[in-house]
Structure formats: structure tokens, C-alpha cells
Amino acid sequence: MSTPSVTAAERASTRMAQLLPRLVETRRTISRLQTEEAELLAAAQAIAEEWATDAELGATSTAEFPHRSVAAEIAVAWRVSDRTVQRQLNDAAALVNEFPETHAALASGAITAAHARVIVTVGGIIDRAESRAEFEASVLDYAQSESAARLAPLAKRRAEWFADVTIDDRHRIARSGRRVWVDTLDDGMGELHLVGPAILVHAAHDRLTRLARAAKEQHAADAVPAAEDTTNDDTRTIDQLRTDILLDLLLAGEPAAHDTGLGAIHASVSITVPVLALIDDTVRDPFEAIMLDHTAPIDLDTARLLTANAPGWDRILTHPITGAVVAVDRYRPSEEMRRHLRVRDQHCRFPGCRMPTRRCDADHTIDFALGGETTIDNLANLCRRHHTLKHQTAWTVRQRLGGILEWTSPSGAVYNDRPVSSVAFAPDPECEYASAPF
């Protein structure tokens, strides 16, 4: 009796099943070593602080020299910039001294250094130790099951619950730091940087994208067949077109080097605003931040200005206990299902992917050709990369209650991907509004 031949995919899956545990353990070892490095850097920072205190250096400029000296000594030994080391000293001291639970999670390998950086950086707006501890407790479980990229927007939202200074006050201060600068690159290139209000920066990028796509579509419509003339072929990518149009706008005031009619294109941004924030300052919900594209909080004045001029609103109904999206409705429900998925998923639903839903496909979890229904509990947003991965490889997925996707890799490993909305919209359990019928 002949034995069936083993396919290349089966051999690859077997080898990956053997390799994956070693990769996971290696990453945990790296996390433990990074924890040790952070502890040593925090100790060096303490030496600098004791030096400055013992020398009774009162002036700010003078008190900084012990920190600079310690950073310089480490930098020379490491052969890196002392400015970089000084930032690392500050970050390490914050991790070890102000975020002990995050420090412990990193030491155990439960999270990576990237997760720790997100928690420490975002939690920097929280002054009181007890509030920082509550903030850590509210995000660490999520950090242990999701990528650092997915953790960041959730952590920013949660940090607003415990911050002593509101986003409105911080935004007013931060606006004074807006600026533009240039870095020179190799090969005759340069980088133009801009720091400004997030809502305007996102809107500017969105308008550039729309202009670039319109220019590309217009050129394709006007082009003659390639067999007749190839001189007008425009092979520029969207990134290249964005850059060319931006420089045209800055230097000439109009997208001069591109087809006409582009000036009518306007930007589009998406914000999530708790209803109480639009009623009155005195009843503003302290546990709900106003979020730009589900990634970063924005100030109340900007949110009210945008909603006042919005052509329509989506109403999002969430479960009062779990925070899961129950329904998304509007007066014109022709795209109700897609809007529900956009709100529920917020990005590609492959584990760790942050591709926004506007660049994703609404994929049938059970293929439509195999009898899968076009319903919310059989649809999920997948970017093109992971959509094709699902169909062209042995990766499989099934959808469970609450929109949870259970992915199984070719090697047999199982990964659960929860809708970020089920965490982001979950109310604070101690909030007295948790059971309110809003």
C-alpha cells in the first residue's frame, strides 16, 4: 500500500510549527534583556539626579549638566548620540519608577518594548500615581493580546479618562509648537516636515490623496491608446502624485502641473463624538474622548465646529456592558451594513494589521460561492494583502459572536482578533453613567 505524498505546503506547515515556539521564546528573551537595560538606564538617571541635588544646582541650565554628562558617558561607550541616550534615560526612568506593572509585563515577556513605549508615552499626561496605576490596569490585558499599533489608539482614549489636564487645555498649549522645517537627504533630495493641528494635517493629506487619484483617473480617461502614442503615459504612483501636487500648491497656489478641475476637491475626515460633548460643557462625559479617525483625541471646539457643518451623522448604538457595536443607523440606510462594519472593525481584521477600513474589502468569512450569507456576522473588513492571503493559502478564519474572528495559521496556531470597538466603547465599570440609556 503506497503512502500519499506530502505536499510542499504541508512540509512548510510542519516546519513552521517547530520554528514558531522558538521565535516566540526568542522575543521573550529580548524583552527580558530590554527590561534589564531599562533598569540600568534608570539607575544611571538616578545617579545624575543625585549629583544635581547634592551639588545644589539651582539654575535649570546648570542642573542639566549632570544629566548631560551621564548621557555622554553612556553614549561614548555605546557609540551613539548623547541626545538619544538622554531621551532613553528619561524614558527608562519613567518605565521603571512610574509604570511598575508595565515594567513587570515587559520583564516577563508578556509585552514587547514597543508596547511599553506606547503605554509610557501615552500615560505621560497622567500626573497622579494612583491614576497611572488605573490606566495601566485598563490597557495591559489588551496589550498582551494585540500589536503595539492597535494598542496606541485605545491607550490614548483610555489615558484621557485619567489625565489631570484636558485635551482642550493641552491642545491650546501644543498649538504654539506648530512649525515647518526641512532636512536635506542624499542624492539631491530633501524632506519637508510640518507639525500642526491633527485635524488640519489629516484633512490636508486626505485632500492630496483625492487630488492625486483624480489626476490619475483624468489622465487615464484622456490618454490615447498606447499603440498610437506612449509619450503621455503617466506612471507616477499615488505617493509621487501627492508629492508633486503638494509642491505645486505651495509654489504656485494651484495644482498647476495637473489637469483642471481639481481645485473643487475637498478634504474628508472622520471623528467620533460622544453625544454629551455636543450638548453642554457641564454635562460632558469625562469617560469618553473625541477621537479623530479612531486614532487620537482632539479638542472639543474643533469637534463642535466640524459637527456643526457635517452633512450627516452616523448614530452608533453600543452594548452598555460589553461596549460591542449593536447598530449603526442613519436616515439613508443604503450603506448601513458597510457603515456598521467600518465602525465595528475600524481597520483590517487580520491580527496586528492597522490598514484603515476605507482601504479594505468587506470579505465574506464563509465564501459567498460556498453558501455564505451577506450578513454582519459573516462579513469583516480585510485589506487586499490579507484578503488574498485568506483565499490563496491555508490560513482559515471563522466568525464568532460579537464579531470576534478566530484565525488558524497553516501550522495550526489559533489567534483571536477582537473588534477594537468592543474595547474602545466599553464604559468604565465604575462610571455612574454605565447603565444610562444613551
Side-chain angles (χ1 to χ4, degrees):
M1 182 176 179
S2 61
T3 57
S5 59
V6 178
T7 66
E10 289 171 336
R11 287 196 301 271
S13 296
T14 300
R15 294 172 63 189
M16 280 301 300
Q18 297 169 349
L19 185 63
L20 192 59
R22 295 173 59 193
L23 283 171
V24 172
E25 184 55 36
T26 298
R27 181 55 64 92
R28 286 177 177 161
T29 300
I30 291 172
S31 293
R32 288 191 288 267
L33 289 172
Q34 289 171 324
T35 305
E36 183 178 351
E37 181 182 88
E39 291 167 353
L40 294 171
L41 288 171
Q45 178 80 332
I47 291 172
E49 291 174 356
E50 290 171 10
W51 177 3
T53 302
D54 292 345
E56 297 181 351
L57 301 173
T60 303
S61 58
T62 307
E64 182 66 17
F65 282 112
H67 296 85
R68 292 187 188 180
S69 178
V70 169
E73 189 165 356
I74 297 171
V76 171
W78 279 358
R79 299 183 299 279
V80 297
S81 165
D82 60 315
R83 291 182 176 86
T84 299
V85 172
Q86 194 159 357
R87 286 194 297 271
Q88 290 176 326
L89 288 169
N90 293 330
D91 292 343
L95 171 64
V96 174
N97 300 324
E98 299 176 9
F99 295 87
E101 294 303 319
T102 303
H103 176 219
L106 181 63
S108 69
I111 63 173
T112 68
H115 292 91
R117 278 193 297 273
V118 168
I119 294 173
V120 172
T121 301
V122 171
I125 65 174
I126 306 171
D127 295 330
R128 292 176 293 177
E130 60 273 20
S131 296
R132 282 196 302 270
E134 291 184 58
F135 165 68
E136 281 187 287
S138 74
V139 298
L140 270 174
D141 283 344
Y142 190 74
Q144 293 177 34
S145 61
E146 294 290 352
S147 67
R150 285 193 177 183
L151 169 65
L154 175 72
K156 289 177 183 177
R157 190 186 190 105
R158 290 289 171 88
E160 293 297 329
W161 294 5
F162 306 105
D164 296 288
V165 181
T166 68
I167 179 61
D168 303 320
D169 292 334
R170 298 200 313 274
H171 178 69
R172 278 191 285 271
I173 297 171
R175 279 180 64 94
S176 63
R178 59 191 184 277
R179 65 191 183 105
V180 176
W181 74 99
V182 172
D183 287 335
T184 302
L185 304 178
D186 295 333
D187 304 321
M189 301 295 285
E191 285 184 335
L192 178 67
H193 303 264
L194 178 146
V195 173
I199 197 75
L200 300 181
V201 173
H202 277 264
H205 185 270
D206 180 81
R207 184 167 188 251
L208 284 172
T209 300
R210 290 167 181 262
L211 288 168
R213 288 176 177 162
K216 203 169 185 67
E217 291 169 2
Q218 185 65 45
H219 183 89
D222 295 343
V224 296
E228 300 177 25
D229 185 0
T230 60
T231 58
N232 290 325
D233 287 350
D234 190 343
T235 59
R236 289 176 295 177
T237 65
I238 293 296
D239 277 333
Q240 292 168 340
L241 278 164
R242 262 196 297 251
T243 304
D244 295 344
I245 291 173
L246 173 62
L247 294 175
D248 280 344
L249 288 168
L250 291 175
L251 296 173
E254 293 289 342
H258 307 277
D259 298 284
T260 59
L262 301 183
I265 294 178
H266 300 285
S268 174
V269 294
S270 172
I271 61 171
T272 303
V273 187
V275 66
L276 291 179
L278 298 177
I279 298 174
D280 193 300
D281 283 332
T282 59
V283 295
R284 182 178 177 186
D285 187 346
F287 297 101
E288 287 292 344
I290 302 167
M291 302 294 287
L292 167 64
D293 284 338
H294 308 292
T295 61
I298 62 171
D299 61 292
L300 177 60
D301 290 341
T302 299
R304 283 180 170 168
L305 177 63
L306 290 173
T307 52
N309 297 318
W313 297 359
D314 287 334
R315 183 179 64 173
I316 304 168
L317 303 179
T318 61
H319 192 281
I321 304 300
T322 67
V325 174
V326 176
V328 178
D329 60 12
R330 204 176 187 183
Y331 291 119
R332 287 174 284 186
S334 59
E335 289 191 352
E336 180 179 358
M337 194 172 295
R338 287 186 179 275
R339 288 188 287 108
H340 181 110
L341 291 172
R342 284 198 297 267
V343 173
R344 186 195 73 180
D345 295 347
Q346 300 185 16
H347 46 59
C348 170
R349 293 296 309 284
F350 187 84
C353 184
R354 282 279 300 161
M355 187 67 71
T357 53
R358 64 177 178 272
R359 298 178 63 182
C360 292
D361 303 324
D363 172 65
H364 288 77
T365 306
I366 300 174
D367 290 356
F368 182 80
L370 299 178
E373 297 180 349
T374 306
T375 57
I376 291 299
D377 55 8
N378 190 48
L379 290 171
N381 280 288
L382 296 181
C383 69
R384 189 57 53 88
R385 174 185 176 87
H386 294 124
H387 191 171
T388 55
L389 181 75
K390 169 178 174 284
H391 288 287
Q392 300 299 325
T393 71
W395 278 90
T396 61
V397 60
R398 70 186 185 97
Q399 191 160 168
R400 296 161 52 193
L401 291 176
I404 296 174
L405 297 189
E406 184 183 87
W407 288 87
T408 303
S409 75
S411 65
V414 177
Y415 306 91
N416 286 324
D417 186 84
R418 295 176 293 168
V420 65
S421 57
S422 67
V423 180
F425 294 129
D428 179 60
E430 296 181 1
C431 176
E432 61 179 338
Y433 297 110
S435 60
F438 294 113

